[in-house]
Amino acid sequence: MRAFSYERATSPQHAAAQAAETGGKFIAGGTNLLDLMKLEIETPTHLIDVNGLGLDMIEDTADGGLRIGALVRNTDLAAHERVRRDYAVLTRALVAGASGQLRNKATTAGNLLQRTRCPYFYDTNMPCNKRNPGSGCAALEGFSRQLGIIGTSEACIATHPSDMAVAMRALDAVVETVNAAGETRSIPLEDFHLLPGDHPEVETVLGEDEFITAVTLPAPVGGRHFYHKVRDRSSYAFALVSVAAVVQPDGSGRVALGGVAPKPWRRAEADAALPNGASAVMSTLLDGANPTEDNAFKVRLSERTLAAVLAEAQE
């Protein structure tokens, strides 16, 4: 790990200003950043500690929704009474992620911003456009079983690793931010993560001086909530395919996929096909998929996982 300087932010606006001025990185739980620093994939010269900013509250909103502070720990979010009752898909997704120790440290904002777990991104001996723009993508000709099948490009086929983000995408979450000038904005999670295109190193729409303060969820939509995660082992493993679904009594609802794309994957027209079954949903949701030989099975696995969810919903 390379040497770095350190300071504690005094306000969200101050944190944003310091990041813009120093090119520093925010640190809260550090569950992903510190690993990347040890491998010298991330090499910040300055760390901005944001733990003391008081952004660790979960509050009701005026429209009946929920506002989740950026620093709410994953464990606390999963266990919150309203989340368990009204947004159960989120609790189930959080509990499916990482280990209990990591969930105790990991934050809401950090979860959204975590980097891919593509093995070629982590192997600094291999070319990776996300890690070193313009160097190439070793995964295209390498072992790609865990990697993306849709939303990818010739520059990158990595997937986003978050379970929480998949559930939040199904719930129409909105990310709140502030910048160095004190200006705020609200970004639908649908628009927050970027597809790789020719620039996979640019992963979100955040500006260099922008800091996440909260994530808001709209009023509950009811229905039955499911999060099914298929992985190589039952503990501490990232998804091959995951399905976050909210299913209403009439069979309508919404579906988001994880483990298949560079961002949580959802399409409104696929939601509309839900009463027609898993095959109808996936023919729309995965339309345009471009799997490799190693991960082509994910197309069928996604359909079977959703079919299991719908069968459980009918019981």
Side-chain angles (χ1 to χ4, degrees):
M1 186 183 291
R2 300 185 186 183
F4 56 87
S5 54
Y6 168 90
E7 72 173 309
R8 290 179 177 146
T10 57
S11 70
Q13 185 177 343
H14 173 250
Q18 288 303 103
E21 179 180 337
T22 66
K25 293 282 187 178
F26 304 124
I27 186 166
T31 57
N32 188 206
L33 177 60
L34 292 177
D35 285 342
L36 295 173
M37 290 174 66
K38 291 173 184 176
L39 294 170
E40 297 192 357
I41 295 170
E42 293 274 12
T43 56
T45 58
H46 188 63
L47 291 185
I48 305 160
D49 189 333
V50 297
N51 281 296
L53 299 183
L55 302 175
D56 57 353
M57 302 295 291
I58 303 174
E59 304 167 302
D60 295 338
T61 61
D63 64 356
L66 210 60
R67 187 175 189 270
I68 303 160
L71 298 176
V72 172
R73 308 292 162 165
N74 287 177
T75 295
D76 296 332
L77 182 57
H80 190 271
E81 180 182 1
R82 273 209 67 196
V83 176
R84 287 165 59 89
R85 183 182 72 234
D86 297 332
Y87 307 97
V89 64
L90 180 54
T91 288
R92 290 174 175 146
L94 285 162
V95 171
S99 65
Q101 295 93 328
L102 287 172
R103 292 195 297 269
N104 288 343
K105 294 292 291 182
T107 63
T108 299
N111 193 306
L112 292 177
L113 294 172
Q114 63 182 301
R115 309 294 303 274
T116 183
R117 283 354 188 251
C118 173
Y120 298 100
F121 173 73
Y122 272 79
D123 185 348
T124 55
N125 294 310
M126 304 297 289
C128 172
N129 289 317
K130 189 179 286 292
R131 188 184 66 247
N132 185 16
S135 65
C137 176
L140 289 173
E141 300 298 329
F143 184 64
S144 53
R145 181 173 182 271
Q146 294 179 309
L147 303 178
I149 61 173
I150 195 164
T152 57
S153 74
E154 288 300 312
C156 182
I157 59 172
T159 58
H160 195 275
S162 173
D163 292 291
M164 183 196 79
V166 181
M168 285 189 165
R169 179 68 189 92
L171 294 170
D172 291 328
V174 175
V175 180
E176 297 181 358
T177 70
V178 66
N179 66 14
E183 300 165 335
T184 61
R185 68 168 172 158
S186 297
I187 309 166
L189 189 58
E190 175 184 8
D191 302 323
F192 182 77
H193 296 103
L194 297 174
L195 297 180
D198 295 328
H199 294 282
E201 75 279 8
V202 183
E203 298 176 346
T204 73
V205 298
L206 291 177
E208 293 182 356
D209 68 338
E210 202 164 9
F211 177 73
I212 297 174
T213 55
V215 176
T216 58
L217 302 177
V221 295
R224 296 189 66 187
H225 291 218
F226 302 88
Y227 189 77
H228 281 209
K229 179 177 180 179
V230 182
R231 45 190 164 175
D232 284 324
R233 59 181 187 272
S234 61
S235 175
Y236 196 45
F238 295 95
L240 290 170
V241 165
S242 64
V243 172
V246 179
V247 184
Q248 301 296 339
D250 63 0
S252 65
R254 49 183 71 181
V255 176
L257 293 183
V260 299
K263 60 189 290 184
W265 198 253
R266 183 182 168 201
R267 287 174 169 167
E269 56 270 33
D271 288 350
L274 196 60
N276 299 322
S279 180
V281 172
M282 289 303 163
S283 66
T284 301
L285 191 56
L286 295 180
D287 183 37
N290 185 31
T292 68
E293 183 178 348
D294 290 333
N295 64 23
F297 72 92
K298 286 191 176 188
V299 175
R300 183 62 173 153
L301 181 60
S302 298
E303 182 179 331
R304 289 181 174 181
T305 305
L306 178 58
V309 167
L310 296 181
E312 185 176 344
Q314 292 172 0
E315 292 178 356

